[in-house]
Each structure stands twice: as structure tokens, then as C-alpha cells.
Amino acid sequence: MRILLVEDEEKVARFVAIGLKAESFAVDIARSGLDGFNMAEGSDYDLVIVDLMLPELSGTELIRRLRIKKPALPIVVLTARDAIADKVLNFEAGADDYLTKPFAFAELLVRVKALLRRGSGNRSNTLRIADLEIDRITHQVRRQDKPVKLTSKEYSLLEYLASNPGRVLSRTMIIEHVWDESFESLTNIVDVYVRQLRAKIDEPFQQRLIHTMRGVGYYLSEVENP
Amino acid sequence: MNYRSLRFRLIGYFAALLIATTLAFGAFTYTGLKRFLESTLEGALAHRAGQVAAMAGNIPREGEQAVAEEIEARYAPARNDRFVRVTRPDGPAIYLSNAPNDRSFDPAKIPPYRTPAAEGTRREALSDGSDILIVSRNSNGFRVEVGASLLPGERVLHRLLIALAAGLPVLAALAIGGGIVLVKRALQPVAEITRTAQDITLRHLDRRLPVLASGDEIANLSSALNGMIARLDDSFQHVARFTADASHELRTPLTIIRGELETLVFHGALPEDLRVALSSLLEEIEHLSRIVERLFALSRLDTGEAQSERVRVDLANLAETTAEQMCLLAEEKHIELICANEGQVEIEGDRARLKQIVVNLLDNAIKYTPEHGRVEMTVKTRDQSALLEVSDTGLGIPETALPHIFERFFRADDTHSRSTEGAGLGLSIVQSICHAHGGSISAANRSPAGCLLTVELPLARKA
């Protein structure tokens, strides 16, 4: 998988590239809008990450031009501008996703993977992590073949964690995914629900599946340090 | 009617001034006329007295009888309503005029002069209450007195008084009526300026007051106010631009710090103590990012930028479903969370923002209520407003802190730990959302314990 990162801020480009490479992506970096457009047009990338404030050619204009040449190419916007008008403008230009700085790298990763998966249509109806089994259609959860009763919020939280196994999800990401933006100030609600979920999923069993990465968030994994 | 209004006061002053002027003018006219009438009469009497005195000088030559007849024939005092008396030095009268035609006095009853040889003017009171003015002259030892009743003059003065008394209320009424019309016309533009000024809020700073082409003081006032609004608009735009710029400038370094730290925590082979320190730094950056986000959210609410959608929302239903989503937070602290609503309460607004009001208020209430307490939320309609009330059994708010709890970064309790991150902005955000929806929020303490927060929002217009 090859990703083009169009970002003029050197340090941001550096850590995003390191993080993506660690996830086995091939990453190229373009430092200006025009470079970005030429590189994206000339080579075959699976996904493009674009900053909005770019020299030579603005991110929005880059997206607009690229969309004409490559209608199917997933484009993620990465920007410090978070006004609703900016979001609308860039979605209209052809962006697929929009991430506001400062972002958690984990969130960028989840979104990138979601966009790459979208094309493949490979979505399993049953999620399995160790002896945990989640049926995405009936919303039934079993561990060691014993059914576990969850409330709908607990189920959504577990499904979100399980569909990104081993991936650390920040509280903000969990809130936006499981609740909605109105709860953004309420990160402690995530802690409460994770505690509740652990009591049902983990505590009765030997192996712990839900882990905490301090300062970052939660993840579901067979091993403690994936 | 507002008795302190400029209109009322102007009319009052105007009428009072006019009435006072008229009264002064009336008094001046009255006394002036009175003095004029008396001095004219006195002059005429003195003239006549001189003439009669000259005739009395002929008495030794022509005899008393002849002179008396001549006075009677020449001046016919009775017909002219005058009083004439000529007295001998030893007392008895040589001549006394008959009663005047208008019977205003009886000559026989006029008392004789008291100070002999004195020349001058005196007044004698008559039995009917009126006065008679008498001028005396001496001639060869004879005393000549010529007089006339003051009654005719008093009648004229009386008539003037009646005219003034009748005219004053009419004049006052005209003055007040005219004043009302004039003041109303003069203040018409002021009323218009007031109406427009009330509509100009932070969100409508591009609007201006109407400026009349009259070039008068009011037009000057409107232009001056418009200049002020323009300067306000400018500085507000400046602040908004500054916030947008600052947002960008702060976000990029925050992104880098966070990204670099995350790279280390995720991929670096770190000693445990360093990992703990980095994790703690990440938590602080998360905290800092959240504060930055909220400040920008607030500034966007202030500039009206955040008003993205306006739909009909059932506040009661919104409150209930939100409370359900948050009940676990309450359960954790064994707090009883009660949601009591009185049916549908439809308002208009941005659903996500309105929900944020409920979330922040409930979160706040749960945070500041000790274990086994109670948090109660009600949504109801009162008059033309929707009311959302959240009450708790917590510690309440110190009275001195009550006016400040909606201020940014204000904390009623200084000792409260930072674990309730960003709590210093939650209520500010609620207030800004309320204002953006044309509503308001207020806080009060409840007895015996706890506090009550009341959000008031305008009801949706009837479809």
C-alpha cells in the first residue's frame, strides 16, 4: 500500500511518515501543492493525505484537480482549520475524510485503514479475538462460548474496539464513534463504559483483552503490547 | 406613561414654562393697568381740583352762592360721577355735589378732611367696600376736594382678571397639546434609532442606524453611533481573525508535539520510567488541546459562525435520551438521575449544540454532587419559553461566586482538582449556545442544599 503525504510542515510530515511506515505502508512526501499534484498524477497511490495550507497550490485546489483525474483515489484532509464552512468546502471539492489538528495518530491510522478497506468490501460478519466472538448482525457476544449480555452502548464500544484489534483508540475517537460530538467534553464517560465492559468481558475470565495505553486510549488485543 | 421619559419631561417643562410666563405677564399687566388707571384718575382729579380751587378763589368777590352755582353748572359733578366739596375754613361746606348718576357713593357720607391745610391725595373706604379717591387743594383758606369712585377702574381690572383666569387653562392646554406634537415629531427619529439599536447584536454588527437627511442633532447622533458600531465591528472582526489565526498557530505545534510523543510511545523501545513520563505528557497535551478546542468553539459561537443548522427539536425528548446515555455516569456515583418532563416542548435550533447544553449541565451536576445524591432534570413550557431545569443535591455555589460561574475558566471551588478537565469552560459554552439560540441561562442555590440551573429558550413558532 502506497500513501502520498502532501504536507509542508516538515515535523508533521516526519512523524506521520514514521507512524505509517511502522504500519508497513510505503510513504512519499510532497512539500508543496504543485509537487503533490504532479506526484499523485504521475504515480499510482492507494491514498493521499493532504494539508490545506500549502505553498504554490492550496490543498482544496489540489483535491479539486486530483478528483477530476482520479475519481476513485481516497483523499484524507489534515488541517488546523476546523470551521464547518472549511469542512463543507473540502468535502465538496472531493475529500473523503477530514481530520483536524491536533489529531491522535491512532485516529489518522484508523481512518486511513477504513478508507482503504472501503474499496475491498471485505467486511466480516463475525469478529473473533482470542475466545471472544462478536456477531455483527445479531449483536450477540460470546466468550468461551458463553453468551455475554451487553447494553447497546456497551456493544457499540466493544464492536468498535474489536473491529480495530490491537489498535489504540483515543477517548475522543471512541466518543465520536460510539456517542456523538455533543459528548466530546465527556471523556470520563468512556472510562466508565470501559470499566463496565471489562467487568462483563474480562473479569470473569483468565485472559484480559481490553487494555489501556496511558495518555492515548484503549485497545482490544490478545497480548498486552501488540 | 413613563413619567421619567424625555418626552414627558420636555412637555412638562414646556407647559410649566409657558404657564409661568403667562402668569407673570398677567400679573404684570394687572398691576400695570391698575397703576395706570389710578394715576390717570388722580391726574384728572388734580386738574379739576386746581380748576375748582381757582373758582373758590373768587368767593370773597362773587359770594359763596354764585361760586357754588358756577361749579355745579360748569362741571356737573353728579352727572360726571364725580365728588366735589368746598369747605369753609371753620368747617361747614359751601358746596357739596349731588349723588352721582351711577350711585357709586353718597357724597354726604364722605368724611370731612382730617388734617387741615394738607394738600394731596387720600382714599376713603365706602360702606359698600369700594374706595373713593379724593384730591384736596387749599385756596384762600377754603378747602377744595374733588373725588371719584375707583369702582369703574376696579371693574375693568376685574374683567381683565376673569379674562386671564379663563384664558390660562386654554393656553396651558394648547401649550401641552402643541408640546406633545412638537416633542413627538422631534423624538420620532430617536424612537427609530432605539428600535434599530436594540436589533444590533454581536451577530448583526454589519447593520447601521438610519441617518436622517435633516442634518440636525439627531442625524449627528446617528452618524456618531454608526461610527462607533463600525469601530466595534472592526475590532470584533479583528478578534475573530485573530482567533482563527491563533487557532492555526497553536494547532500545528500541538500536532507535532503529540505526534512525536506518540511515535516514541508506540514504536520506541523505552525504559518504563520514560514511558510513564511520556504518557503523562500525552495526557497533558490532550488536556491542552481540549482547552484550545473549547476556546475556539466559544469564539465561533460568539461570532455566530457555529450556527450551522436550524431544525425543530423536541427538547423534552432530547433531554430524556441524553440523560439515558449518561445514566451510567450517575450510577457510578450512586446518584439518582431523574428526568421529569411534561410532554413535548418544541424549540428551533442546532440539535448537536442543544444536546451539548444537556450534556454539559448534567455532567456538571453529576460532578459536583456527592455520592448517593440526586440530580433532577425537567423540561417544561412557561409562557412563550421552553425551560430546562437541572437541579442537584450537591454543595451549591457560594453566593459570591454565583454571578461569575458562566465566566470562562471560572471555578467556584479553587481547591477542586484538575481531574474534572476543562470544567472551567463547560458552563461558558452552555451560555454561549443559549445566547446563540436567543435564550439565556441562570443559576441559583436551592435550600437546603444544591443548586438549580435554568435554561430558557424561545419556543418554536407554531407551524
Side-chain angles (χ1 to χ4, degrees), chain B residues 141-157:
Chain B
F142 294 100
R143 183 166 186 83
V144 173
E145 288 166 297
V146 178
S149 169
L150 284 167
L151 204 59
E154 272 164 15
R155 280 205 197 99
V156 170
L157 288 171

Side-chain angles (χ1 to χ4, degrees), chain B residues 75-297:
Chain B
Y75 302 117
R79 255 189 289 145
N80 290 323
D81 302 332
R82 293 292 153 91
F83 163 79
V84 178
R85 182 162 64 184
V86 183
T87 323
R88 243 190 266 146
D90 52 345
I94 298 167
Y95 173 77
L96 178 64
S97 57
N98 290 320
N101 284 354
D102 64 358
R103 305 275 158 205
S104 54
F105 58 89
D106 181 359
K109 285 191 177 153
I110 308 272
Y113 62 95
R114 276 172 293 258
T115 40
E119 290 197 332
T121 310
R122 74 173 198 274
R123 277 164 182 268
E124 293 288 349
L126 297 174
S127 54
D128 65 353
S130 67
D131 280 1
I132 184 162
L133 193 69
I134 297 171
V135 176
S136 309
R137 289 279 184 279
N138 290 330
S139 176
N140 286 345
F142 294 100
R143 183 166 186 83
V144 173
E145 288 166 297
V146 178
S149 169
L150 284 167
L151 204 59
E154 272 164 15
R155 280 205 197 99
V156 170
L157 288 171
H158 189 66
R159 240 174 263 138
L160 175 70
L161 215 54
I162 289 171
L164 283 176
L168 199 63
V170 176
L171 207 72
L174 279 175
I176 292 171
I180 289 172
V181 172
L182 281 178
V183 170
K184 207 171 182 174
R185 279 189 57 171
L187 292 184
Q188 183 73 32
V190 176
E192 217 154 284
I193 289 171
T194 310
R195 253 200 313 281
T196 321
Q198 276 166 346
D199 286 345
I200 297 180
T201 59
L202 228 42
R203 269 168 253 288
H204 298 113
L205 277 179
D206 52 328
R207 291 181 58 181
R208 292 293 178 270
L209 301 171
V211 180
L212 297 178
S214 55
D216 59 11
E217 290 87 341
I218 305 251
N220 291 344
L221 177 70
S222 325
S223 340
L225 283 176
N226 276 342
M228 188 184 80
I229 296 166
R231 288 194 293 280
L232 267 179
D233 193 14
D234 266 2
S235 54
F236 202 71
Q237 297 281 339
H238 190 79
V239 170
R241 261 200 310 280
F242 170 80
T243 312
D245 293 347
S247 117
H248 186 257
E249 295 304 322
L250 281 171
R251 277 183 174 134
T252 306
L254 273 174
T255 310
I256 294 166
I257 297 171
R258 184 174 184 162
E260 300 283 9
L261 287 176
E262 280 185 346
T263 310
L264 278 176
V265 172
F266 276 123
H267 309 295
L270 301 172
E272 190 52 29
D273 52 349
L274 190 55
R275 184 179 293 277
V276 169
L278 290 182
S279 300
S280 155
L281 280 182
L282 271 173
E283 278 173 2
E284 288 311 304
I285 286 165
E286 174 92 30
H287 182 62
L288 186 60
S289 307
R290 199 168 299 281
I291 291 174
V292 169
E293 287 311 314
R294 288 183 176 193
L295 279 177
F296 297 143

Side-chain angles (χ1 to χ4, degrees), chain B residues 409-427:
Chain B
F409 294 117
F410 183 81
R411 279 173 196 277
D413 178 9
D414 286 333
T415 60
H416 199 74
S417 78
R418 249 170 18 105
S419 65
T420 55
E421 63 169 82
L425 288 171
L427 286 179

Side-chain angles (χ1 to χ4, degrees), chain A residues 109-128:
Chain A
L109 204 57
V110 167
R111 291 188 187 222
V112 163
K113 292 207 165 178
L115 277 174
L116 290 173
R117 202 167 50 219
R118 198 173 64 182
S120 67
N122 177 21
R123 202 181 115 116
S124 164
N125 285 336
T126 313
L127 293 166
R128 274 192 196 87

